Amino acid sequence: LEFPDQVRQENTWGESSYSFRAAGSKGWYQGSEEGYPLHPQQNAALYRQTFGHNLIAVLKARNEPQALVTHLGSGEVERDGKKFAVEKVAVAIRGSTTTLGISPATGEIGSMSYRAAGPRLSLGTIEKVFSNYGSTGGVILPMSATVSFDGKPLEDSPVHLKFVRLDEPVEPSYFEAPKP
């Protein structure tokens, strides 16, 4: 992500690789053999999936005038067989709503949940319960997450990040239309 409105998402599925890129209102798909511009609705969906479901983008959204942030009440999150208290906060941004579970004792983001397509492309609730926090550029972020879909753990969970980079320059060509 490059704020305010550039995104690139790369995926590998078996032997195939493909990417989606967007800069403002223009977006593109690039497969291993072909590429094409995204329809405006596809471009909007790319922004919802990336900016709306990325923890850093959701936290940064508090500065965007069109963001809506509301307190939903108290709740609990289970991590490592133990429950801990959180305050649930919903953040609506760019057509997507994500709920954060924030520890009132430490201020840590304990969980994040949102509606999205699951492993079999059916819609449901994805929940990430965070652990193993680390500091990156003065920002404390979770480095591990246990991920579930509609309450059932996903096969590739837990997810562990090796590093997170903030405020690093990104080459502008990274977000440009793919070359034919």
Side-chain angles (χ1 to χ4, degrees):
L1 301 177
E2 177 85 11
F3 293 98
D5 64 355
Q6 296 185 110
V7 63
R8 181 170 175 150
Q9 183 182 72
E10 295 187 18
N11 299 288
T12 301
W13 193 7
E15 305 271 329
S16 300
S17 293
Y18 57 95
S19 69
F20 293 97
R21 313 166 190 196
S25 62
K26 304 266 189 224
W28 304 272
Y29 164 83
Q30 179 63 56
S32 53
E33 295 183 22
E34 64 178 348
Y36 54 80
L38 294 178
H39 184 278
Q41 289 178 343
Q42 292 172 308
N43 201 49
L46 179 60
Y47 279 113
R48 280 193 308 273
Q49 292 169 3
T50 53
F51 282 93
H53 300 155
N54 177 284
L55 181 58
I56 294 169
V58 170
L59 293 173
K60 189 173 174 63
R62 76 185 189 288
N63 295 324
E64 294 191 30
Q66 70 274 24
L68 176 63
V69 180
T70 188
H71 180 253
L72 300 176
S74 300
E76 291 183 330
V77 172
E78 186 173 331
R79 178 173 56 204
D80 301 325
K82 297 177 184 174
K83 292 186 179 185
F84 63 96
V86 294
E87 293 298 317
K88 301 275 184 169
V89 176
V91 180
I93 188 72
R94 298 183 189 237
S96 180
T97 301
T98 296
T99 300
L100 301 176
I102 304 171
S103 168
T106 65
E108 290 178 341
I109 308 297
S111 66
M112 179 169 103
S113 63
Y114 50 87
R115 302 258 315 148
R120 291 195 158 78
L121 300 180
S122 61
L123 286 177
T125 300
I126 293 178
E127 182 178 42
K128 298 177 181 180
V129 176
F130 298 123
S131 61
N132 300 324
Y133 296 83
S135 181
T136 300
V139 178
I140 297 173
L141 294 169
M143 299 303 286
S144 297
T146 301
V147 185
S148 64
F149 179 75
D150 280 346
K152 297 178 182 159
L154 294 181
E155 288 181 25
D156 55 354
S157 184
V159 175
H160 303 285
L161 300 177
K162 292 181 182 178
F163 58 87
V164 175
R165 295 183 183 147
L166 299 176
D167 297 328
E168 284 193 7
V170 178
E171 187 65 37
S173 63
Y174 202 66
F175 305 105
E176 293 175 353
K179 307 286 185 248

